[in-house]
Amino acid sequence: MNYKSTRGHDVPQTFSEILLGGLAPDGGLYLPQQYPQVSADELESWRKLSYADLAYEILARFCDDIPAEDLRALTRKTYTPEVYCNARAGDNTADITPLRKLGDEAGAPLYLLGLSNGPTLAFKDMAMQLLGNLFEYALARAGQELNILGATSGDTGSAAEYAMRGKRGIRVFMLSPHNKMSAFQTAQMFSLQDPNIFNLAVQGVFDDCQDIVKAVSNDLEFKSRQKIGTVNSINWARVVAQVVYYFKGWLLATDGPGQKVSFCVPSGNFGNVCAGHIARMMGLPIDKLVVATNENDVLDEFFRTGIYRVRKAAETYHTSSPSMDISKASNFERFIFDLLGQDAGKLAQLFRDVDTKGGFDLSGTTDYERIRQFGFVSGRSTHDDRVATIRDLSARYGVTIDTHTADGVKVAREHLSAGTPMVVLETALPAKFADTIREALGREPERPAAFEGIEALPQRFEVMPADAAQVKAYIARHTGL
């Protein structure tokens, strides 16, 4: 299995060659030269596999340059009930991603897929824990070190840091928007005292952080000298690790071959739902991929109108579902590449337009008309919607959900089809967003015992302006390279 860039860089790369990097040399994102196909018979044969062994079966199709016994050992080391131990009462932790039925609405079974039972209570742990083990394995095999540069709007940072803390040969430099995360999210990251973890609070919004990461990645000389890698959702290994739980969710929601399932995905950077798109391209019987946004509705606007219009920092709202406060979806390019029939030249021009004109317009084109063939629909949710949905699920089903998952449930309900299961991906546990839970329910959300009092722990971070040059200087000072 070799990989190519969405923008046409034509030097084939193996999985291990792209594992530690981010952008391709031409600024594009990596995709496999072809999507491996999974037959109905293969799907049925996977019904009794553990999550770890299911992950092996899927990942082996994308990374055939890692010996099978090593890859299986890595997935079994990663996906254990001991690591993913924060499930709700009544959920089976052995499933790793337990499926909980809420009820039947409009003739459709409505489910939550629990992706937030890992060390940081967010779905990012599903891929990041594997990434930490893959990185350590690959670096040890090559005798190398790696300096990870990432940007987070809330959950990626803590998931990356908890996955990489104490790992040999790895440092993490994580950028986050200063004073824009919840108190719980901030404490999860900034309370870590591990010497290989560096937190930089950038004076700006998430998109400023992401732009800095891209600017550093595009400085090829600096990137090479400083041994820079990425764990943001543009990293292919992270995307493909997320593909696994779509297969697991489908297997848990069905009992026979060919049955269609829809998935609703709270979306900001498009990495999570991009994994669903890839699963569908591999042959998983997905009916709809429902993109749920908050007030930062760039993606909803595109799927409704064909217009992709990036918002400026001043136009990006700070909301109660802050991990989706994103106006430039970095993984969106992967889907657009497929939508354009993998025309790299056309894709490159569109994303030059993003850089120079702030977006592009496919409305009225045959490309836009093809979107429905890929199963995508969308909707948006507001703060009032989140509060109402949290109250409704608590009253109706006795389940408390976080703000991002509430966005997902609200939009999922707008796209139900009788007889077709709708699986909403639960993106975080409610303990991470206590302010809105208190507003909605008048009480504190439950939190695992290990996280009691985390906000009171000492914090270690550095405030920095939104300036790529200053970030590069900081990295160089702390690596000594």
Short mmCIF file of all heavy atoms in Angstrom, two decimals, residues 297-327:
data_model
loop_
_atom_site.label_atom_id
_atom_site.label_comp_id
_atom_site.label_asym_id
_atom_site.label_seq_id
_atom_site.Cartn_x
_atom_site.Cartn_y
_atom_site.Cartn_z
N ASP A 297 -20.39 27.48 11.30
CA ASP A 297 -21.08 26.55 10.41
C ASP A 297 -20.52 26.52 8.99
O ASP A 297 -21.26 26.35 8.02
CB ASP A 297 -22.57 26.90 10.37
CG ASP A 297 -22.84 28.34 9.95
OD1 ASP A 297 -21.87 29.10 9.73
OD2 ASP A 297 -24.02 28.71 9.84
N VAL A 298 -19.20 26.63 8.88
CA VAL A 298 -18.56 26.62 7.56
C VAL A 298 -18.92 25.34 6.79
O VAL A 298 -19.26 25.38 5.60
CB VAL A 298 -17.03 26.75 7.70
CG1 VAL A 298 -16.34 26.58 6.36
CG2 VAL A 298 -16.67 28.09 8.32
N LEU A 299 -18.85 24.20 7.47
CA LEU A 299 -19.11 22.93 6.79
C LEU A 299 -20.59 22.77 6.44
O LEU A 299 -20.94 22.30 5.34
CB LEU A 299 -18.65 21.77 7.67
CG LEU A 299 -17.13 21.68 7.87
CD1 LEU A 299 -16.79 20.66 8.95
CD2 LEU A 299 -16.42 21.33 6.56
N ASP A 300 -21.46 23.15 7.34
CA ASP A 300 -22.90 23.09 7.03
C ASP A 300 -23.22 23.98 5.83
O ASP A 300 -23.98 23.58 4.94
CB ASP A 300 -23.71 23.53 8.25
CG ASP A 300 -25.20 23.53 7.97
OD1 ASP A 300 -25.70 22.56 7.40
OD2 ASP A 300 -25.86 24.53 8.32
N GLU A 301 -22.63 25.17 5.77
CA GLU A 301 -22.87 26.05 4.63
C GLU A 301 -22.42 25.39 3.33
O GLU A 301 -23.13 25.46 2.31
CB GLU A 301 -22.13 27.38 4.81
CG GLU A 301 -22.35 28.35 3.67
CD GLU A 301 -21.63 29.67 3.85
OE1 GLU A 301 -20.47 29.67 4.30
OE2 GLU A 301 -22.23 30.71 3.52
N PHE A 302 -21.27 24.71 3.36
CA PHE A 302 -20.81 24.06 2.14
C PHE A 302 -21.77 22.96 1.69
O PHE A 302 -22.14 22.89 0.51
CB PHE A 302 -19.41 23.47 2.31
CG PHE A 302 -18.99 22.65 1.12
CD1 PHE A 302 -18.55 23.26 -0.04
CD2 PHE A 302 -19.11 21.27 1.13
CE1 PHE A 302 -18.22 22.52 -1.17
CE2 PHE A 302 -18.79 20.51 0.01
CZ PHE A 302 -18.33 21.15 -1.14
N PHE A 303 -22.15 22.09 2.61
CA PHE A 303 -23.00 20.96 2.19
C PHE A 303 -24.39 21.42 1.78
O PHE A 303 -25.05 20.76 0.97
CB PHE A 303 -23.04 19.90 3.29
CG PHE A 303 -21.78 19.10 3.39
CD1 PHE A 303 -20.91 19.27 4.46
CD2 PHE A 303 -21.44 18.21 2.40
CE1 PHE A 303 -19.73 18.54 4.53
CE2 PHE A 303 -20.26 17.48 2.46
CZ PHE A 303 -19.41 17.65 3.53
N ARG A 304 -24.85 22.54 2.29
CA ARG A 304 -26.15 23.08 1.88
C ARG A 304 -26.09 23.85 0.57
O ARG A 304 -27.03 23.81 -0.22
CB ARG A 304 -26.70 24.00 2.97
CG ARG A 304 -27.27 23.30 4.19
CD ARG A 304 -27.95 24.29 5.13
NE ARG A 304 -27.03 25.28 5.67
CZ ARG A 304 -26.93 26.54 5.26
NH1 ARG A 304 -27.70 26.98 4.25
NH2 ARG A 304 -26.07 27.39 5.80
N THR A 305 -24.95 24.55 0.32
CA THR A 305 -24.92 25.51 -0.79
C THR A 305 -23.82 25.27 -1.82
O THR A 305 -23.89 25.80 -2.93
CB THR A 305 -24.72 26.93 -0.25
OG1 THR A 305 -23.39 27.06 0.30
CG2 THR A 305 -25.74 27.27 0.83
N GLY A 306 -22.77 24.52 -1.44
CA GLY A 306 -21.62 24.36 -2.33
C GLY A 306 -20.57 25.45 -2.16
O GLY A 306 -19.54 25.44 -2.84
N ILE A 307 -20.82 26.37 -1.25
CA ILE A 307 -19.88 27.46 -1.01
C ILE A 307 -19.06 27.15 0.24
O ILE A 307 -19.62 26.93 1.33
CB ILE A 307 -20.62 28.80 -0.83
CG1 ILE A 307 -21.39 29.16 -2.11
CG2 ILE A 307 -19.65 29.92 -0.46
CD1 ILE A 307 -22.34 30.33 -1.95
N TYR A 308 -17.74 27.11 0.07
CA TYR A 308 -16.82 26.92 1.20
C TYR A 308 -16.19 28.27 1.50
O TYR A 308 -15.38 28.78 0.72
CB TYR A 308 -15.75 25.89 0.85
CG TYR A 308 -14.79 25.60 1.99
CD1 TYR A 308 -15.25 25.07 3.19
CD2 TYR A 308 -13.43 25.83 1.86
CE1 TYR A 308 -14.39 24.79 4.23
CE2 TYR A 308 -12.55 25.55 2.89
CZ TYR A 308 -13.03 25.04 4.08
OH TYR A 308 -12.16 24.76 5.10
N ARG A 309 -16.59 28.86 2.61
CA ARG A 309 -16.21 30.23 2.94
C ARG A 309 -15.56 30.24 4.32
O ARG A 309 -16.24 30.15 5.35
CB ARG A 309 -17.44 31.14 2.91
CG ARG A 309 -17.19 32.60 3.19
CD ARG A 309 -18.46 33.42 2.95
NE ARG A 309 -19.56 32.98 3.80
CZ ARG A 309 -19.80 33.47 5.03
NH1 ARG A 309 -19.01 34.40 5.54
NH2 ARG A 309 -20.83 33.04 5.73
N VAL A 310 -14.24 30.33 4.33
CA VAL A 310 -13.49 30.35 5.59
C VAL A 310 -13.76 31.67 6.32
O VAL A 310 -13.78 32.74 5.70
CB VAL A 310 -11.99 30.17 5.32
CG1 VAL A 310 -11.18 30.34 6.59
CG2 VAL A 310 -11.73 28.78 4.71
N ARG A 311 -14.00 31.58 7.61
CA ARG A 311 -14.21 32.78 8.42
C ARG A 311 -12.89 33.31 8.96
O ARG A 311 -11.99 32.54 9.27
CB ARG A 311 -15.15 32.50 9.59
CG ARG A 311 -16.40 31.71 9.28
CD ARG A 311 -17.34 32.39 8.29
NE ARG A 311 -18.66 31.77 8.34
CZ ARG A 311 -19.13 30.91 7.47
NH1 ARG A 311 -18.38 30.53 6.44
NH2 ARG A 311 -20.35 30.41 7.58
N LYS A 312 -12.80 34.62 9.09
CA LYS A 312 -11.64 35.22 9.75
C LYS A 312 -11.74 35.01 11.25
O LYS A 312 -12.80 34.65 11.78
CB LYS A 312 -11.58 36.72 9.43
CG LYS A 312 -11.38 37.04 7.95
CD LYS A 312 -11.30 38.55 7.74
CE LYS A 312 -10.94 38.87 6.28
NZ LYS A 312 -11.98 38.44 5.34
N ALA A 313 -10.62 35.22 11.94
CA ALA A 313 -10.59 35.00 13.39
C ALA A 313 -11.69 35.79 14.09
O ALA A 313 -12.36 35.28 15.01
CB ALA A 313 -9.22 35.38 13.94
N ALA A 314 -11.92 37.03 13.68
CA ALA A 314 -12.93 37.87 14.32
C ALA A 314 -14.34 37.37 14.07
O ALA A 314 -15.28 37.74 14.78
CB ALA A 314 -12.79 39.31 13.84
N GLU A 315 -14.50 36.51 13.05
CA GLU A 315 -15.82 35.97 12.70
C GLU A 315 -16.04 34.57 13.28
O GLU A 315 -17.10 33.97 13.06
CB GLU A 315 -15.98 35.90 11.18
CG GLU A 315 -15.87 37.23 10.47
CD GLU A 315 -15.85 37.08 8.96
OE1 GLU A 315 -14.97 36.34 8.45
OE2 GLU A 315 -16.72 37.68 8.31
N THR A 316 -15.05 34.07 14.00
CA THR A 316 -15.15 32.73 14.59
C THR A 316 -15.71 32.88 16.01
O THR A 316 -15.11 33.53 16.86
CB THR A 316 -13.79 32.04 14.62
OG1 THR A 316 -13.28 31.95 13.29
CG2 THR A 316 -13.91 30.64 15.21
N TYR A 317 -16.85 32.25 16.25
CA TYR A 317 -17.52 32.38 17.55
C TYR A 317 -16.86 31.50 18.60
O TYR A 317 -16.44 30.37 18.31
CB TYR A 317 -18.99 32.00 17.42
CG TYR A 317 -19.78 32.85 16.47
CD1 TYR A 317 -20.13 32.37 15.21
CD2 TYR A 317 -20.17 34.14 16.81
CE1 TYR A 317 -20.86 33.15 14.31
CE2 TYR A 317 -20.90 34.94 15.93
CZ TYR A 317 -21.23 34.43 14.68
OH TYR A 317 -21.94 35.20 13.81
N HIS A 318 -16.81 32.00 19.82
CA HIS A 318 -16.40 31.20 20.97
C HIS A 318 -17.67 30.63 21.59
O HIS A 318 -18.49 31.36 22.12
CB HIS A 318 -15.63 32.07 21.98
CG HIS A 318 -15.21 31.33 23.22
ND1 HIS A 318 -14.68 30.07 23.19
CD2 HIS A 318 -15.25 31.70 24.53
CE1 HIS A 318 -14.40 29.68 24.43
NE2 HIS A 318 -14.73 30.65 25.26
N THR A 319 -17.85 29.32 21.47
CA THR A 319 -19.13 28.70 21.83
C THR A 319 -18.99 27.74 23.01
O THR A 319 -17.89 27.49 23.51
CB THR A 319 -19.70 27.91 20.63
OG1 THR A 319 -18.99 26.67 20.50
CG2 THR A 319 -19.60 28.71 19.34
N SER A 320 -20.12 27.18 23.41
CA SER A 320 -20.12 26.20 24.50
C SER A 320 -19.79 24.80 24.00
O SER A 320 -19.79 23.85 24.79
CB SER A 320 -21.46 26.22 25.23
OG SER A 320 -22.55 26.08 24.32
N SER A 321 -19.53 24.63 22.70
CA SER A 321 -18.93 23.39 22.19
C SER A 321 -17.61 23.77 21.52
O SER A 321 -17.47 23.75 20.30
CB SER A 321 -19.86 22.64 21.22
OG SER A 321 -20.38 23.48 20.22
N PRO A 322 -16.61 24.16 22.35
CA PRO A 322 -15.42 24.86 21.83
C PRO A 322 -14.51 24.03 20.95
O PRO A 322 -13.77 24.59 20.14
CB PRO A 322 -14.69 25.28 23.12
CG PRO A 322 -15.15 24.31 24.16
CD PRO A 322 -16.58 24.01 23.82
N SER A 323 -14.56 22.71 21.05
CA SER A 323 -13.69 21.90 20.20
C SER A 323 -14.11 21.96 18.73
O SER A 323 -13.38 21.50 17.85
CB SER A 323 -13.69 20.43 20.67
OG SER A 323 -13.19 20.35 21.98
N MET A 324 -15.28 22.54 18.47
CA MET A 324 -15.76 22.72 17.09
C MET A 324 -15.70 24.17 16.66
O MET A 324 -16.26 24.54 15.62
CB MET A 324 -17.19 22.19 16.97
CG MET A 324 -17.27 20.67 17.12
SD MET A 324 -18.88 20.09 17.71
CE MET A 324 -19.98 20.74 16.47
N ASP A 325 -15.02 25.01 17.43
CA ASP A 325 -14.90 26.43 17.08
C ASP A 325 -13.79 26.60 16.04
O ASP A 325 -12.73 27.17 16.31
CB ASP A 325 -14.63 27.28 18.32
CG ASP A 325 -15.82 27.33 19.25
OD1 ASP A 325 -16.91 26.89 18.85
OD2 ASP A 325 -15.66 27.81 20.39
N ILE A 326 -14.05 26.10 14.85
CA ILE A 326 -13.06 26.01 13.77
C ILE A 326 -13.72 26.52 12.49
O ILE A 326 -14.85 26.16 12.18
CB ILE A 326 -12.59 24.55 13.60
CG1 ILE A 326 -11.87 24.08 14.87
CG2 ILE A 326 -11.69 24.40 12.38
CD1 ILE A 326 -11.61 22.59 14.91
N SER A 327 -13.00 27.35 11.76
CA SER A 327 -13.58 27.87 10.52
C SER A 327 -12.78 27.46 9.28
O SER A 327 -13.14 27.82 8.17
CB SER A 327 -13.66 29.40 10.58
OG SER A 327 -12.38 29.98 10.53
#
